[in-house]
Every structure is written in C-alpha cells, then in structure tokens.
Amino acid sequence: MEKKGNKYMNPYLAGLLLGLVLLASFYLTGRGLGASGAMKSVVVSGVSAVNKDYAESSHYYSKYISDDKKPMKSWLVLEVFGVLVGGFISGAFSGRLKFKIEKSPKITNKKRIRLAIIGGALFGFGSQLGRGCTSGAALTGMATLSIAGYVVMMAIFGTAFALAYFFRKNWI
Amino acid sequence: MGPIIPLFEISEEINLLIAFLIGLGFGIALEQAGFSSSRKLAGMFYGYDTTVLKVFFTASIVAMLGLVFLNDLGMIDMSIVYVNDYYIASAIIGGVIMGGGFIIGGFCPGTSVCAAAIGKIDAMYFVGGSLIGILIFGQTYPLWEKLHFAQHIGPVKLSDTLGVKDGLLGLIVIIAALLMFWIGEMAEKRFKREDISKEL
C-alpha cells in the first residue's frame, strides 16, 4: 500500500528555506528568529496578571513590563503564533495532522509525557539563563558569526550527545 | 537599505504583521524539515537521522552568506543588526541545561510549538514544561542574577576574535559543515533504523 503525503522535504532544501526566512528576518527587522522569548512573554504576562506589583518589583519580570508595551503584543509572540499557524498549514498540506504521542515502544505514554515536561522545563530554564534557545541564541547567533551563538550551539548539542546514551530507551 | 523596520517608520500593525509572516515561514520550514517529530530530532544523537545537523547548518550558512552579500552590496547596515551578547558562564551553563532538556524532552522551544501545531501531544506537554521552567527561573531569579551577568564579553563576533574577515570565517564554517554533512550521511547508513524511520 502506497502511503500518500507524509514525506518530508529534502533536509538541505529545508535548510535553504529556513535560512532564507532567517535572512528575511535580519533584512526586515535587524534581528533573527526566536521562540523561547515568546514563551517568556506568556509567563511574564501571567505573573503580571496574578500580581502586578510583585511582577513590577522583580528584577527579572520588570525588565519585560513597561506601560507602553504589553508583553503579549510583542514581535516575538506574533512570530511564534506564525510558527503555530505555519506548522499547521504545512502539516495539513503534507497529511500529517494527527493527535499522537511520539516515543520509543520501550516506554509508556505516561513516561514520555513526564519526560517531555521535565525536558521542557530544563529547556525553558536554560533558555533564560543562556539568553535564548536553539533559534534565538544558536541559529541566529551563528548566522551573525557571534561567539555566543557558537558557544551555545556547542553546549546544547555537546550535552545532548554526551547524555544520549543514558536516555536511549526513550527514543530507540 | 535594510534593516527596514529599525531604519524606517513602520507602523506597529505592519511590524506585527511582518512578525506573523516571518513566523509563518519559520513554522512551514520547520514542519517540512520534519522538526515536528521528536524521534526524528532525537535521531541526531543516535545517528539514525541527522536531519537536524543538515537543516541547522544549511540554514545558518545561507543566512550568514546572505548577510555577507547584502553587506558587500551596501544593502544592509550591519551596525544595527543584532549580534548576540556574550556572557561566558551563562551561555555555557544555559546551553548545557538546554542540551539536557533536548535529549530528555525531544524538542527545543521552536520545534515544540511546530509539533504541537500538528497534534503531537508530547510536544504540547513540552511547551507546558517550558513555561514552567521559565516561571521557575523567574521565581528564583535572585539566585541566578549574578551568574546571569558574570563574565561579560559583549556582542563579539568570532571573526573579530580570530582576527579574520567575515568572508574567510564563513568559508571555514562552510568547509566544516560539508565535512559534518559527509559524516552525517555516513552515520545514517551505519546507524540505520528502518523500524523507526518508516514510522516518522
């Protein structure tokens, strides 16, 4: 039975496409892409909605709150909303829209979800300490030849390789 | 002359529309590449699928070369293009924590949003986890504030540190990437996992 759709783009071609999007971002805005920054805006808005005085007194949250700017109406939030819509369009086009938990058959769904939450929490935390994630720090930083971009990239991928053996059951 | 938005008076609405459109392209590129699949992403670290390496390096090289050309043609003012600020300790420690998050959770923030968009439930939980992680960082910020600002180097380019022109460093990066692509292609043959690849 021939499977329709589902095929991914050639990785080098996809890389070219992603590179052109990144270049367009530099040309239009002077900045590259980002993802964790939008998540930070969600958190800052949430904390600010619960307790505005607290958020404004915090050294961390207060950096992202000002009277003329609402964190949820920021450039990065709209950009990541675009990622959500773009991902959906692409998935619909290629016949990949489906509710699914992806994991190795060796682990249970429950374990996969638990690991996804822990992994997400580590990534979220690390992205704040490291001033950006794979998109904003590594990919974007590498395109401008910044040292920070290369250091973050090597730290992320180096650590993932170093720990891969211990988490192999989750994936293979 | 670019960058357009910082140099010209662009209305807030147009600015946000551009943000959305760039995000749209970003999401389509990530999804078409297969970054909406955690097992495809994780394949990078076991050798059976090195798409991450190929897409990531191709993209950064395309954008890097594009910037070099635009600069040479006088079409972009590189002095207002953002170069990431380098703080040694937080870049390394933050990167190490993110690397742990990558191999444990199977995504990074951008790919998790993209994967959640096509219905990957594990990605939705990863997004939730990311928000929790950021909240934890925010709530415990006084503990990390010093580390966050330690060893500040500034927005320094690797080419300046090495004392070479951007173009030459670009060439070195391209050669290094081609070598890695070759290793990646070899790894995919050696660590082939048909059982996983056909499911992705």
Side-chain angles (χ1 to χ4, degrees):
Chain A
M1 194 173 70
E2 201 184 338
K3 237 172 146 187
K4 273 213 148 184
N6 209 28
K7 273 275 161 271
Y8 297 108
M9 192 183 272
N10 174 294
Y12 300 108
L13 190 61
L16 173 70
L17 182 66
L18 180 58
L20 291 175
V21 173
L22 176 56
L23 183 62
S25 181
F26 277 121
Y27 183 71
L28 292 169
T29 73
R31 279 174 169 263
L33 301 167
S36 55
M39 293 178 169
K40 175 177 65 193
S41 294
V42 173
V43 172
V44 172
S45 301
V47 171
S48 183
V50 172
N51 191 339
K52 198 160 188 284
D53 294 336
Y54 166 76
E56 280 170 352
S57 68
S58 151
H59 282 193
Y60 174 70
Y61 300 118
S62 61
K63 278 189 277 187
Y64 310 104
I65 308 169
S66 61
D67 291 335
D68 59 324
K69 255 195 167 161
K70 292 205 162 60
M72 285 306 286
K73 214 184 147 193
S74 75
W75 204 91
L76 271 177
V77 171
L78 262 289
E79 186 232 57
V80 169
F81 180 61
V83 172
L84 197 66
V85 177
F88 182 82
I89 291 171
S90 164
F93 188 76
S94 298
R96 284 192 284 264
L97 295 183
K98 196 185 168 195
F99 283 109
K100 184 182 175 188
I101 296 176
E102 207 176 304
K103 60 171 186 60
S104 164
K106 287 179 195 144
I107 61 167
T108 60
N109 283 345
K110 208 172 150 191
K111 185 168 183 199
R112 171 69 186 107
I113 295 300
R114 209 162 51 221
L115 290 168
I117 296 170
I118 296 169
L122 286 169
F123 223 122
F125 186 98
S127 69
Q128 296 315 298
L129 186 60
R131 296 180 172 76
C133 59
T134 338
S135 321
L139 181 65
T140 298
M142 283 165 67
T144 56
L145 296 169
S146 78
I147 301 188
Y150 280 88
V151 168
V152 171
M153 181 272 293
M154 285 191 280
I156 293 176
F157 286 96
T159 307
F161 269 114
L163 297 177
Y165 178 80
F166 304 101
F167 295 98
R168 64 190 184 285
K169 270 199 189 136
N170 305 333
W171 308 115
I172 58 177
Chain B
M1 183 77 169
I4 305 290
I5 293 171
L7 288 178
F8 300 95
E9 285 209 4
I10 305 279
S11 73
E12 176 77 3
E13 286 73 21
I14 300 286
N15 190 4
L16 292 178
L17 177 67
I18 289 172
F20 176 73
L21 292 176
I22 286 177
L24 203 65
F26 189 18
I28 291 172
L30 289 177
E31 209 290 320
Q32 281 298 315
F35 283 12
S36 50
S37 158
S38 54
R39 276 182 109 191
K40 198 171 175 68
L41 292 165
M44 177 73 225
F45 306 107
Y46 302 98
Y48 63 82
D49 190 318
T50 59
T51 302
V52 170
L53 172 84
K54 297 172 195 169
V55 174
F56 196 81
F57 273 87
T58 306
S60 65
I61 286 170
V62 167
M64 173 195 73
L65 282 182
L67 287 175
V68 170
F69 287 143
L70 287 176
N71 187 36
D72 282 351
L73 296 169
M75 284 173 68
I76 195 164
D77 181 354
M78 287 303 285
S79 69
I80 42 177
V81 168
Y82 177 76
V83 175
N84 299 53
D85 215 350
Y86 184 33
Y87 294 80
I88 301 175
S90 60
I92 294 173
I93 298 170
V96 166
I97 296 171
M98 287 189 265
F102 204 164
I103 198 67
I104 293 170
F107 291 106
C108 58
T111 54
S112 68
V113 171
C114 174
I118 66 160
K120 296 287 167 71
I121 296 163
D122 42 339
M124 297 173 195
Y125 280 97
F126 186 97
V127 172
S130 305
L131 297 175
I132 295 169
I134 295 169
L135 182 67
I136 292 172
F137 183 83
Q139 296 301 108
T140 55
Y141 189 60
L143 295 174
W144 323 110
E145 195 169 6
K146 225 172 139 187
L147 176 66
H148 198 219
F149 290 100
Q151 300 171 310
H152 186 210
I153 304 293
V156 178
K157 294 207 299 190
L158 192 56
S159 42
D160 294 333
T161 313
L162 298 173
V164 297
K165 284 206 164 132
D166 286 2
L168 178 62
L169 180 63
L171 186 66
I172 296 169
V173 172
I174 291 170
I175 293 168
L178 289 175
L179 188 69
M180 286 191 290
F181 292 159
W182 180 68
I183 295 170
E185 299 286 356
M186 302 271 282
E188 282 183 13
K189 287 197 185 89
R190 189 169 140 69
F191 301 104
K192 203 170 186 148
R193 290 293 301 259
E194 281 296 350
D195 56 326
I196 299 174
S197 300
K198 72 171 198 280
E199 274 182 36
L200 299 178

